[in-house]
Amino acid sequence: MIQLRKIIAAVCFILLANIGQANAQSSRWQQKIRYDIDVTLDVQLNRLFGTEKIRYWNHSPDTLKRLFFHLYWNAFQPNSSMDARSRDLGRHSYRNDKNGNPIPDWDARVKDRISKLDSSETGFCKVDFISIGGKKQKTILHETILEVVLDKPIPPVTKNSGPVLIDVAFVSQVPVQIRRAGRDNAEGIRYSMSQWFPKMAEYDAMGWHANQYIAREFYGVWGDFNVNITLHKDYMVAATGELQNALQIGMGYTPAGYKPPRPAGEMLTWKFKAVGVHDFVWAADPGYVHEKTSVKNGPALHVFYKPANASADSAWQHVLFAAEKMLPYIEKRFGKYPWPTYSFIQGGDGGMEYAMATLLKGPGIGTVIHEWMHSWYQQLLGINEALYPWMDEGFTNFAENEVYYYYLKNIAPESPWLNAAQKQQAKNELAGIDAALPFKQAGEYKNYFNLAASNLQEPLSTHADHFNTNVAYGISSYSKGSMFLTQLGYLIGDSIRDVALLDFYRTWKFKHPDPNDFIRIAEMRAGLMLQWFRQYWIETTKTIDYSIAAVQEQDGVAAITLKRNGLMPMPLDVLIVYKDGSEELHYVPLDLLLGKKQNEGWMKRVEHDAWRWTHPEYVLRLSRPVAEIKEIDIDPTQRMADVNRKNNRLVVP
């Protein structure tokens, strides 16, 4: 009987442990949506006329009394919130250009341009009606947000109920391109159609995310899109998803040599389908060149660009070559790309990521990689960019730097589209990265140190639209966000961090994770406590600064007093170089970790008792006398974001 009770207890423990692990992982409901959109673009009037048939599954436990739609293009009107915000930021300057002239803190693409638009240049999205069950619903316009007051609340979906059916009719005017979307951009692309349709706002455990379109960023409901785009037959269209009527269209979507029948009239309808995405983008131009290739056991890759000159055209061809070669490495490091296509489309005002596509101003490989890596964090994981811009942009920046290094080392030297001078430039850039510490991420540290030295830094937990300055948003979200992962690598080991990133992908793809979800993955993989690190690095602007305060002889051996000058505590790697040429790596864990990181293996280490975060000083005792020491170096890999590295190294006289 005693043995039976032990067995039963053990089984119960295992079941409870598994339940606890599942709950800690990803048991989170998700809303679901399906859009069937028919839209016609009048290229003379620059107007869109469209209808949407929406199926919406309310998987939440809540009964919804209202719905919210994004009408992004309403931002492109004089005195809009986007216009006012940009002009207000432009009144200030926090840095100078290379000639010493002050740089206004507005987005250089927007500036005060919206305020100067006339009625033919503005953008708008006007919803004619929204109906459910054939009955028009009351709507209230809040600039770029349309509130729908439901006559009948939408209860949670049950096994006996299906989605609610919503009909939408709208008309929009395509603005001149100012930010992301628009017509007739500087490169001569006729239409860049992003944020173009009335889009349902996301509803999750935090409630509705009905953010005005001020500057950035985006968040959406997972779903499927069937989009029919009708416009003049001379235009080529690049878009999210797979073209369903390629044999009717041709234009590079069919095998070489195939010539589809031309339509009798002036218009042509393109039919696209995309499954498991939360956005849809398209671009159109009569002068596009369309090139494509495929990755073995992977997606079809497309490039759309307007011919300019031999050098520029080769650069776009190089994008296609490099993308095919990069994807296996990307998937090995960050997880498999799950969709059947990806398109690199000339048509942006820099670079901007969307589902299965990116809009690009030009073929610069760094931007190409960055926007493509957003497919993992902005699209595949669906991180809320507005609330956690550092997580989306920062993780993407980190991945970009890793992939770009691989590109320089393995792909650029072999590209048939690069000339000898370009290959030498890539080789020189690679050598510069190899010479820099911390490896591959040196630029992010430089940006962060500059921000930390200013009075502009704000917590990373700040909403994307509510940073006081654009410069603080940019460096915080991109560079300090990227350094979240380099600091994590310092805390738990780079290899363990990399495995945690893959675990994060496998556990949370298509589930809208938040920062705590990632930290829990890292904690479970490393066996260490990390919530304190998230709180310090994300929710405060406290900085790291350690120094060597004193070196003394005690009982015949060296006693090194280490001092924490900054307000953020960290564990320490301390390298001791002796005069006989030998070296010792000493590891001082932090008590907040409640453990020690594994030895990363690049040299043997001596482990010490934990440094209590409440104590500003720590005495590191060696086994050899002071007279034998040549040099002491805190953080020899320079991964720790110590804002004053001058006091990290001491040469002992």
Side-chain angles (χ1 to χ4, degrees), residues 167-178:
D167 287 292
V168 182
F170 67 97
V171 59
S172 299
Q173 179 167 285
V174 187
V176 296
Q177 184 159 12
I178 290 178

Side-chain angles (χ1 to χ4, degrees), residues 548-569:
I548 303 164
V551 180
Q552 298 173 315
E553 191 95 9
Q554 291 183 1
D555 300 325
V557 297
I560 303 169
T561 300
L562 305 173
K563 185 176 182 180
R564 175 171 53 80
N565 307 297
L567 295 177
M568 180 171 175

Side-chain angles (χ1 to χ4, degrees), residues 10 74 110 166 175 332 417 468 499 517:
N74 288 347
V110 180
I166 306 169
K332 180 181 178 181
W417 302 102
N468 292 326
V499 173
D517 297 322

Side-chain angles (χ1 to χ4, degrees), residues 70-81:
H70 295 281
L71 307 180
Y72 292 109
W73 284 1
N74 288 347
F76 300 108
Q77 298 177 23
N79 203 37
S80 68
S81 296

Side-chain angles (χ1 to χ4, degrees), residues 99-304:
N99 297 318
N101 299 314
I103 302 173
D105 189 48
W106 53 25
D107 186 317
R109 294 160 292 194
V110 180
K111 299 182 178 179
D112 57 353
R113 292 173 60 201
I114 298 176
S115 68
K116 299 175 182 178
L117 297 177
D118 64 37
S119 59
S120 67
E121 298 171 321
T122 61
F124 61 73
C125 183
K126 297 179 180 179
V127 171
D128 293 330
F129 66 81
I130 293 179
S131 65
I132 299 177
K135 185 174 181 180
K136 290 186 179 180
Q137 304 295 298
K138 177 183 177 181
T139 60
I140 303 172
L141 181 63
H142 307 279
E143 195 174 355
T144 63
I145 294 293
L146 185 68
E147 178 184 356
V148 182
V149 182
L150 299 171
D151 68 324
K152 184 182 295 184
I154 301 174
V157 170
T158 69
K159 62 180 181 180
N160 297 319
S161 66
V164 63
L165 305 180
I166 306 169
D167 287 292
V168 182
F170 67 97
V171 59
S172 299
Q173 179 167 285
V174 187
V176 296
Q177 184 159 12
I178 290 178
R179 189 70 181 97
R180 301 186 175 105
R183 53 185 162 96
D184 303 319
N185 75 353
E187 285 68 51
I189 304 302
R190 189 74 175 96
Y191 293 106
S192 299
M193 309 298 278
S194 59
Q195 288 84 49
W196 59 276
F197 61 97
K199 179 181 177 182
M200 181 85 79
E202 176 67 288
Y203 184 84
D204 62 17
M206 298 177 70
W208 285 105
H209 294 268
N211 296 314
Q212 294 286 349
Y213 189 22
I214 306 298
R216 56 182 87 91
E217 299 277 353
F218 306 105
Y219 187 43
V221 188
W222 296 115
D224 304 331
F225 288 79
N226 294 295
V227 180
N228 298 332
I229 302 168
T230 302
L231 75 169
H232 194 277
K233 64 183 180 182
D234 289 345
Y235 281 74
M236 181 182 292
V237 176
T240 291
E242 294 182 288
L243 183 63
Q244 302 299 291
N245 60 335
L247 294 179
Q248 179 187 356
I249 298 295
M251 297 194 189
Y253 286 94
T254 51
Y258 175 80
K259 294 184 178 181
R262 296 295 288 166
E266 292 297 310
M267 307 295 277
L268 187 61
T269 298
W270 299 63
K271 300 181 178 181
F272 290 93
K273 181 177 182 179
V275 176
V277 295
H278 57 77
D279 204 355
F280 189 99
V281 67
W282 58 286
D285 192 279
Y288 268 147
V289 170
H290 176 198
E291 305 286 352
K292 65 181 180 180
T293 190
S294 294
V295 179
K296 184 178 180 181
N297 300 320
L301 301 175
H302 303 262
V303 168
F304 299 85

